[in-house]
Amino acid sequence: LVTYAKYFLSGKFKQAHGVKYFRCKQLKINTSSKRTIQTRIDGDPAMDLPVNVYIKPDFLKVIVPK
């Protein structure tokens, strides 16, 4: 996480090594593992994979200083 701090602070996270950036309306997160993998939401145990994520347009407004 410390490695990515400079990218977060500079607003250039998309340029960090190993980061893939894309836009979508929905996303399915799956695994190729045969074992059960449990997700976490805010650090709390949640549902098992696969997970379908649907994006709600214009739901979250973020304001950052220039």
Side-chain angles (χ1 to χ4, degrees), residues 8-23:
F8 278 121
L9 297 173
S10 67
K12 298 180 181 178
F13 191 67
K14 291 185 268 183
Q15 297 173 6
H17 177 72
V19 172
K20 296 195 187 285
Y21 174 84
F22 55 91
R23 291 177 172 222

Side-chain angles (χ1 to χ4, degrees), residues 8-66:
F8 278 121
L9 297 173
S10 67
K12 298 180 181 178
F13 191 67
K14 291 185 268 183
Q15 297 173 6
H17 177 72
V19 172
K20 296 195 187 285
Y21 174 84
F22 55 91
R23 291 177 172 222
C24 60
K25 293 182 180 181
Q26 76 181 57
L27 177 69
K28 183 173 185 175
I29 303 171
N30 208 342
T31 178
S32 58
S33 175
K34 293 185 183 202
R35 55 179 240 222
T36 301
I37 297 179
Q38 186 180 49
T39 63
R40 294 191 167 262
I41 298 176
D42 289 332
D44 296 324
M47 67 288 291
D48 295 340
L49 291 181
V51 174
N52 290 306
V53 180
Y54 299 93
I55 311 313
K56 187 171 181 179
D58 300 319
F59 183 74
L60 178 64
K61 300 286 184 194
V62 178
I63 301 171
V64 295
K66 288 189 176 191

